[in-house]
Amino acid sequence: MNTVEVTTTAGIVRGVRRPGSTAFLGIPYAAPPVGELRFAAPVPHPAWSGVRDAGSPGATPQRIDGGDSTLVPEPSFPGESTLNLSVFTPDPAPAPAGAGLPVLVYIHGGGYTSGSAASPWYDGASFNRHGVVTVNVSYRLGFDGFGWIEDAPLNRGVLDWLLALAWVRDNIQVFGGDPARVTIAGQSAGGGAVLTLLTMPRAQPLFARAIVISGVATYLAPDQAERTGRRLAALAGVAPTRAGLGSLTENQILAEQPRATAFAAGTPAGPLGEIANALVAGLPFGPVVDGDLVPLATVDAVRAGIGAAKPLMLGSTDHEFNFAIADLTDELAGDDAAEVLGRLGVAAPSARAYAAAHDRLGTAELLGQFASDRAIRGVMLRVAEARAEAATADAAPTWLWAFGWRSPTFGGALHCLDLPFFFDALDAPRVAALAGTAPSQRLADEVHGAAVSFISDGDPGWPEWTTPRVWTTVPGDLDAQPVRRFDAVPVDINAPGAGTGITTVAATYADARLAFGS
């Protein structure tokens, strides 16, 4: 095995050379979150003597492997040192100051309760081939990372992200990267993590750009988090304190999480209840808007101008969650869509307007599209609009995309489908289950290439959004803003004349606005 050693601030790590890429796996950036540190803010990992092997994945906060039931392969590995990261670099030689390679820091999704930074889909080799150093971050999940505890800090998982980014700032240069050229990116809950960091004052010095892939908004209030925390402690029969909850094993807390976050009384059963719970209550665990570390909910923070200096590239798939209730097609075939939306907690005028705009869809497909628009697509649009409306003269650009290529196995552009295209990992394990046996390499070149361009040069290669001061259309006409569409038809965005592949909000995201009643 061809190995190479690099000296970090905590000690020497030994990675493995591969064709065009060197991997350093499971490097701890924080002390193991056990004992007194279990529900505490993370602290940097103590220095070690000798050489630490980084040739195999580190321990994962996710303890139960999802197997073949998850859309993305998410392996779990045992161990206490779960706060670790992996570095993939094309050249592990130290970079001269100011002359290092651009860096991508990727935060995985999984609803803040699952997911694994060790997924083979997130291997940084493809980005390395284009001169980008890649870092994948593990962080505490579920109650351990985000649950309310009477005498413990909130947002422990958020503090994990901050410490990981501080490690990148202090160490990435010895792996060939430039700490001043860090782009943070994430998908789903990982995209929510990026939105949270983008709108946190404490995070601003730690990155230069941001990519949000189908991200979720942050808006969980402290009283919501407290109710869930107290309920979990009561169900487990312990005090809602570090001592009380610390007496429970990891497996005991994992067993109580579903009970503590059960559907509210009167919520429909089955998949409809899952949709209603997600749309009305949101994710039960995740960043909490505490007014300090996380000062404001995502869209409010964007409107306040936090993160406005960071270039932002964001987008979603066309049919994020439509597949989730496909099994209800026959059951809901005779039901009125607006009435069902009302049962899910949607205000009657909004339910009628959304149903009228999607009258070509069956009821089950309409509900799936509503879930997609409300939880993801509408969030991406609202963030982009808020950035444009609040922009000052020195604000950084915003670029919006829509991924419309349909899975031949699921029949839509569903959640996670864009990930193997983003990472140019079409040959990775289990991609065929989601993208078929012959996914488009041309499309991967386009999606991955846009990401590489943004990470490297700050421009993905299509028109940015304009601010109200320079709109040439009717003032306030957000529907005319540009959207890059990734779909089955080959495009050349540099072709003469109108930008092929460039469409508008009106053609891609307008209906998503209806999911928020506007």
Side-chain angles (χ1 to χ4, degrees), residues 370-441:
F370 181 85
S372 301
D373 287 340
R374 181 65 176 262
I376 300 288
R377 290 175 53 75
V379 173
M380 298 297 90
L381 178 61
R382 293 177 81 205
V383 168
E385 289 180 343
R387 293 253 303 185
E389 291 170 340
T392 58
D394 58 350
T398 301
W399 291 269
L400 183 65
W401 81 79
F403 185 91
W405 186 79
R406 290 174 175 263
S407 163
T409 56
F410 283 83
L414 72 160
H415 199 58
C416 299
L417 179 62
D418 47 354
L419 282 176
F421 294 87
F422 178 84
F423 280 94
D424 190 12
L426 300 185
D427 58 350
R430 285 179 42 198
V431 168
L434 194 61
T437 57
S440 171
Q441 182 59 53

Side-chain angles (χ1 to χ4, degrees), residues 52-115:
R52 189 180 186 103
D53 181 66
S56 57
T60 55
Q62 176 182 266
R63 294 314 204 184
I64 301 172
D65 196 322
D68 293 336
S69 64
T70 58
L71 295 174
V72 181
E74 296 168 328
S76 297
F77 297 95
E80 292 186 342
S81 190
T82 57
L83 299 183
N84 57 70
L85 47 78
S86 295
V87 179
F88 303 87
T89 178
D91 183 3
L101 297 172
V103 180
L104 168 66
V105 176
Y106 185 76
I107 304 174
H108 70 80
Y112 300 117
T113 59
S114 63

Side-chain angles (χ1 to χ4, degrees), residues 142-189:
F143 190 82
D144 274 33
F146 301 96
W148 176 92
I149 302 172
E150 190 174 274
D151 54 351
L154 272 173
N155 289 316
R156 296 177 293 279
V158 178
L159 293 170
D160 294 345
W161 303 332
L162 286 175
L163 188 57
L165 288 172
W167 185 97
V168 170
R169 176 198 61 201
D170 297 339
N171 289 278
I172 206 63
Q173 190 171 339
V174 299
F175 294 91
D178 186 345
R181 300 176 68 193
V182 172
T183 297
I184 57 174
Q187 186 264 352
S188 195

Side-chain angles (χ1 to χ4, degrees), residues 473-508:
T473 55
V474 177
D477 185 11
L478 289 161
D479 284 348
Q481 294 279 31
V483 177
R484 171 70 162 92
R485 184 154 185 81
F486 295 109
D487 212 330
V489 179
V491 302
D492 179 4
I493 61 174
N494 297 313
T500 307
I502 310 304
T503 181
T504 64
V505 166
T508 52

Side-chain angles (χ1 to χ4, degrees), residues 150-443:
E150 190 174 274
D151 54 351
L154 272 173
N155 289 316
R156 296 177 293 279
V158 178
L159 293 170
D160 294 345
W161 303 332
L162 286 175
L163 188 57
L165 288 172
W167 185 97
V168 170
R169 176 198 61 201
D170 297 339
N171 289 278
I172 206 63
Q173 190 171 339
V174 299
F175 294 91
D178 186 345
R181 300 176 68 193
V182 172
T183 297
I184 57 174
Q187 186 264 352
S188 195
V194 172
L195 285 174
T196 303
L197 291 164
L198 179 68
T199 54
M200 283 173 53
R202 275 183 57 181
Q204 301 306 302
L206 298 174
F207 67 97
R209 301 168 186 142
I211 300 175
V212 179
I213 308 167
S214 298
V216 296
T218 293
Y219 54 84
L220 189 66
D223 60 333
Q224 294 174 282
E226 181 174 348
R227 284 196 298 271
T228 300
R230 289 189 179 280
R231 186 177 184 192
L232 188 145
L235 289 168
V238 298
T241 61
R242 291 173 66 176
L245 290 157
S247 68
L248 302 176
T249 66
E250 283 186 344
N251 286 337
Q252 285 176 308
I253 284 188
L254 287 173
E256 296 298 350
Q257 280 184 184
R259 298 175 63 201
T261 58
F263 299 168
T267 302
L272 283 181
E274 294 177 9
I275 293 175
N277 211 45
L279 296 180
V280 176
L283 295 173
F285 295 111
V288 177
V289 182
D290 59 6
D292 180 21
L293 182 67
V294 183
L296 294 166
T298 294
V299 177
D300 293 335
V302 172
R303 290 196 179 108
I306 306 176
K310 308 292 185 184
L312 173 64
M313 171 181 163
L314 75 169
S316 64
T317 66
D318 282 359
H319 315 108
E320 298 277 358
F321 301 127
N322 296 40
F323 72 97
I325 59 170
D327 290 345
L328 295 178
T329 299
D330 292 339
E331 179 181 337
L332 296 174
D335 289 5
D336 179 78
E339 190 273 332
V340 176
L341 284 173
R343 283 162 39 202
L344 300 182
V346 181
S350 296
R352 288 193 296 269
Y354 192 89
H358 297 83
D359 58 359
R360 66 194 182 282
L361 302 180
T363 299
E365 188 178 2
L366 184 146
L367 295 180
Q369 190 63 53
F370 181 85
S372 301
D373 287 340
R374 181 65 176 262
I376 300 288
R377 290 175 53 75
V379 173
M380 298 297 90
L381 178 61
R382 293 177 81 205
V383 168
E385 289 180 343
R387 293 253 303 185
E389 291 170 340
T392 58
D394 58 350
T398 301
W399 291 269
L400 183 65
W401 81 79
F403 185 91
W405 186 79
R406 290 174 175 263
S407 163
T409 56
F410 283 83
L414 72 160
H415 199 58
C416 299
L417 179 62
D418 47 354
L419 282 176
F421 294 87
F422 178 84
F423 280 94
D424 190 12
L426 300 185
D427 58 350
R430 285 179 42 198
V431 168
L434 194 61
T437 57
S440 171
Q441 182 59 53
R442 183 270 312 160
L443 185 60

